[in-house]
Amino acid sequence: MSDTVAYRRLVAEIEGNPGQKAAYESRDHCVVLAGPGSGKTKTLVAKVARLLLEEVREPRGVACITYNNECSRELAQRLADIGFEPSRRLFVGTVHSFSLTQIVLPYAKTARIEIPDDVAVATRDQRQSALTSAVQSVGGSFGNFSKLESQMNSYRRAHLRRDTEAWKQSDRRLAQLCEAYERELRSNGLIDFDDMPLLAWQALRRNPWLRKAIVAKYPVLVIDEYQDLGLPLHKIATGLCFHAGMRIFAVGDVDQSIYGFTGAQPQLLEGLAEREDVQTVHLTMNYRSGRRIVDAAGVALGVQRGYEPRTDAALGEVFVHPLVGNLEAQAHHLFSVLLPAVMNRNPRLQLGDIAVLYSAAWVGNLVADAARSAGLSTVRCDANAPYPRSSRLMQWLELCAQWCCGGWRTGTPRLSSIASQAFSLLAECLPSSAEEAALQHRLVAALWYMRDEQMQLHEWLDHQRAAFLASCLSACPSTRDDEDTLAAFAERCAPGGDLNHLRLRDLAGAGASVDQVTLSTLHSAKGREFSVVFMFGMNDGVLPWRNADAAQISESRRTFYVGFTRAKAEVHLLHTRGDASPFVDEVARHLAR
């Protein structure tokens, strides 16, 4: 049930911004081009609420597709805050989850989707084993294994139709490898994540009745971060929306497209926005950053887009720090000199308001070691975090931990939100309302008796796994990787493990804590904001990489821009003296004028 007061307050905020108001009031296909800090999530949430309240009649609903699990979690939480929980009328999830739970699994038989009975989603180890077998069956040498996997997946995303000459001839060896890999998966009753949108698109293309069935259930498709979602989703969206009667509301920013290595194609959003039958709305007010940061962001991007700070925005500051010594020495300088100076200038600043961003997880190791030497606590958002921040299950367990550590008193997070996210996580194995009710009863019981922030984390995890998680996860095809992630993390938290010292409060604060500095790769920081951002190791040969081609240079610049625009009050660009990234040099010249 909607929270009328919260919803009206949100709408009142939107009324003051012409772009947000136009998007909110749109009645046909609409694309919202939203710059950093422009309130795009607020606009999207208000739009979804209006659709459900005023435009889409029950039992029909709205499908909201996001780029990754963290985006999905934020959107679901923002909707829950105004009383709209994920339900049978409201799907909120990734393109992979939508493809699997709304198309592939429900219609596998009737749409003749070529997957095994009792199919499961391959784990990392199973994918690696299948690729190893495929390489052996095809024969020959393919070089570096990790690079090969990336090339294979890029080829699968780029060539959707297997009955064309382009698939067979663009790279014959890769095509043969892809086919052998997929045969190996199917022979073991498996699909992988790239299969999900591909199989969904193929089924929709072959079956006009299936397109009608999806449109009947979800007459409106809402897509966040459209620029990151790639060709398969673009084909699904345009097929449903321009040939089957579905309506699209898409939000994105081509300047923040930084996932080319996963198949993102920003030109797809540009093409969608240029259609004559689509209303295009521009959000140009930056509510996040200070005036100097907004001004310098155009230099960081290499083109001025006309973004403006709000009229009452603070000044904001941009600093460039040429440092001496190796990266390890520079990391120690950051925490012993630069960060204390920032804290002294801003007495109300908390560690949780600060982020250190860098290019790769190995750089994060140096930064984490330096922070530890300085006696500072950190939370990592990179490949070397205690568990992947992208794991839906681990994100949900963080919410559970927050509820057990005092949230049950304050109502933040709400138990209903925790339950609805559990239903979303386990969607394909909870077909009935009775099963949802049984799970909710077990969930409440499991959490209620474990409300102790001082509890050893391994004890809490063991209890939750035994009480309901193990049985639920084993029945869901899409949660195998999550199962492995949880098992590995629980083992590290167990007696004798390197994380045995963790308590429940540590998991509760893993997402955001006032006492922890965030350490993140530039890519993982996308969508987040901080008062102060240190961009560490911004050297030539890092952004962009040496010998990068034109497309790679453009994406590197966009990556730099994404990191730059995470900041509200201060941006600090750290580089080795005499070896700055050309992007840093451009900003420095601008500041010197």
Side-chain angles (χ1 to χ4, degrees):
M1 187 174 181
S2 64
D3 183 332
T4 305
V5 173
Y7 172 59
R8 287 179 177 173
R9 186 184 302 120
L10 181 62
V11 173
E13 292 175 4
I14 283 174
E15 290 287 334
N17 183 301
Q20 292 178 357
K21 183 179 179 181
Y24 171 74
E25 294 181 343
S26 63
R27 292 285 179 171
D28 297 308
H29 300 308
C30 183
V31 170
V32 181
L33 300 178
S38 60
K40 62 102 174 171
T41 303
K42 177 196 297 184
T43 307
L44 190 152
V45 167
K47 182 64 177 180
V48 172
R50 177 172 183 163
L51 288 168
L52 291 170
L53 286 172
E54 302 178 17
E55 299 182 47
V56 179
R57 294 185 178 180
E58 293 189 47
R60 306 178 83 189
V62 175
C64 301
I65 295 178
T66 65
Y67 173 67
N68 60 30
N69 291 319
E70 290 189 78
C71 294
S72 175
R73 173 183 174 178
E74 180 190 5
L75 180 56
Q77 186 58 56
R78 295 280 287 271
L79 284 164
D81 289 343
I82 59 170
F84 293 89
E85 307 279 2
S87 65
R88 298 188 187 278
R89 283 195 71 212
L90 175 61
F91 172 89
V92 181
T94 65
V95 61
H96 301 93
S97 177
F98 179 79
S99 298
L100 184 69
T101 65
Q102 306 300 309
I103 301 174
V104 175
L105 292 180
Y107 298 102
K109 295 294 185 184
T110 51
R112 304 184 307 280
I113 300 175
E114 297 178 357
I115 58 174
D117 294 336
D118 300 321
V119 69
V121 179
T123 64
R124 298 178 192 86
D125 290 343
Q126 289 170 328
R127 295 194 297 269
Q128 187 172 42
S129 176
L131 182 54
T132 301
S133 297
V135 169
Q136 293 172 349
S137 68
V138 171
S141 173
F142 282 88
N144 181 274
F145 197 90
S146 296
K147 184 177 180 181
L148 172 63
E149 183 177 29
S150 176
Q151 291 174 335
M152 179 187 71
N153 288 332
S154 294
Y155 197 79
R156 295 167 72 202
R157 299 184 199 109
H159 302 277
L160 303 187
R161 294 190 58 171
R162 305 301 170 79
D163 57 351
T164 64
E165 285 302 309
W167 167 261
K168 299 174 184 176
Q169 302 299 334
S170 295
D171 190 319
R172 185 169 297 182
R173 295 181 72 214
L174 268 181
Q176 292 174 343
L177 180 67
C178 292
E179 292 171 359
Y181 168 75
E182 290 172 355
R183 282 196 304 271
E184 187 67 26
L185 285 180
R186 302 298 183 271
S187 69
N188 289 287
L190 301 169
I191 60 174
D192 69 4
F193 283 94
D194 280 319
D195 277 319
M196 295 176 191
L198 176 59
L199 290 169
W201 174 74
Q202 290 172 341
L204 290 168
R205 183 175 64 87
R206 291 194 303 259
N207 299 281
W209 64 265
L210 179 55
R211 296 195 290 271
K212 292 180 181 179
I214 300 301
V215 175
K217 184 175 183 180
Y218 298 119
V220 183
L221 180 64
V222 175
I223 303 177
D224 191 17
E225 303 288 5
Y226 196 100
Q227 76 281 350
D228 292 331
L229 289 163
L231 186 59
L233 174 73
H234 180 71
K235 291 287 188 180
I236 291 173
T238 54
L240 288 172
C241 296
F242 302 112
H243 302 287
M246 187 179 275
R247 176 174 154 201
I248 191 169
F249 184 86
V251 181
D253 181 8
V254 295
D255 295 330
Q256 295 186 72
S257 179
I258 60 174
Y259 296 106
F261 56 90
T262 67
Q265 299 181 35
Q267 65 270 23
L268 299 178
L269 175 60
E270 291 177 317
L272 186 65
E274 291 168 359
R275 290 182 62 112
E276 292 184 357
D277 53 354
V278 170
Q279 176 186 357
T280 300
V281 175
H282 295 265
L283 301 185
T284 58
M285 178 69 71
N286 186 319
Y287 291 92
R288 175 186 299 155
S289 303
R291 297 195 297 276
R292 286 178 178 169
I293 296 173
V294 174
D295 178 56
V299 178
L301 180 61
V303 58
Q304 294 291 342
R305 298 294 193 198
Y307 295 129
E308 299 177 353
R310 65 184 193 275
T311 54
D312 61 342
L315 189 59
E317 295 291 350
V318 180
F319 301 91
V320 179
H321 303 282
L323 303 178
V324 296
N326 58 23
L327 288 179
E328 183 177 3
Q330 293 176 30
H332 283 284
H333 183 80
L334 190 166
F335 291 110
S336 63
V337 177
L338 300 181
L339 189 145
V342 168
M343 301 294 285
N344 288 335
R345 277 199 309 274
N346 305 277
R348 295 182 180 179
L349 195 68
Q350 298 175 317
L351 292 178
D353 298 323
I354 299 169
V356 182
L357 311 182
Y358 38 81
S359 61
W362 70 267
V363 180
N365 293 340
L366 302 177
V367 176
D369 288 343
R372 194 177 303 112
S373 296
L376 297 175
S377 179
T378 61
V379 55
R380 293 188 66 168
C381 301
D382 61 29
N384 290 336
Y387 51 83
R389 295 288 308 150
S390 60
S391 168
R392 292 185 301 162
L393 175 61
M394 297 307 300
Q395 290 175 6
W396 179 75
L397 283 171
E398 288 173 7
L399 285 181
C400 293
Q402 289 164 19
W403 189 86
C404 289
C405 291
W408 62 276
R409 292 192 188 95
T410 64
T412 305
R414 293 187 296 187
L415 192 57
S416 60
S417 179
I418 292 174
S420 68
Q421 290 196 37
F423 301 152
S424 177
L425 179 67
L426 306 171
E428 71 268 26
C429 59
L430 290 173
S432 71
S433 297
E435 286 176 300
E436 288 186 4
L439 175 63
Q440 183 163 354
H441 178 78
R442 292 164 60 195
L443 170 62
V444 172
L447 296 181
W448 183 258
Y449 293 105
M450 305 296 281
R451 294 169 296 139
D452 180 2
E453 67 179 26
Q454 297 297 332
M455 179 181 293
Q456 290 292 130
L457 183 54
H458 73 85
E459 182 182 348
W460 187 85
L461 289 173
D462 288 347
H463 178 79
Q464 305 307 330
R465 294 170 78 193
F468 66 96
L469 273 178
S471 59
C472 290
L473 294 176
S474 63
C476 293
S478 66
T479 59
R480 302 298 166 81
D481 261 348
D482 281 319
E483 273 190 279
D484 288 351
T485 295
L486 175 56
F489 180 62
E491 184 176 352
R492 294 180 65 186
C493 293
D498 64 317
L499 300 178
N500 181 47
H501 61 283
L502 294 183
R503 297 183 183 275
L504 181 58
R505 65 186 181 191
D506 295 309
L507 181 62
S513 171
V514 297
D515 298 321
Q516 294 177 307
V517 178
T518 296
L519 309 185
S520 173
T521 58
L522 291 161
H523 285 85
S524 294
K526 187 171 180 290
R528 305 187 68 183
E529 62 182 25
F530 305 90
S531 292
V532 177
V533 169
F534 292 94
M535 296 178 65
F536 181 80
M538 297 294 101
N539 294 340
D540 191 20
V542 174
L543 281 177
W545 294 107
R546 287 185 175 83
N547 303 317
D549 60 26
Q552 292 168 330
I553 291 173
S554 295
E555 182 155 306
S556 292
R557 182 181 282 280
R558 294 195 295 269
T559 303
F560 180 74
Y561 172 72
V562 164
F564 197 96
T565 54
R566 299 310 91 198
K568 299 177 185 178
E570 294 186 11
V571 182
H572 296 256
L573 306 177
L574 284 62
H575 67 88
T576 302
R577 181 171 295 172
D579 194 29
S581 161
F583 309 145
V584 174
D585 280 339
E586 291 171 12
V587 172
R589 288 195 295 270
H590 171 77
L591 297 174
R593 291 175 186 171

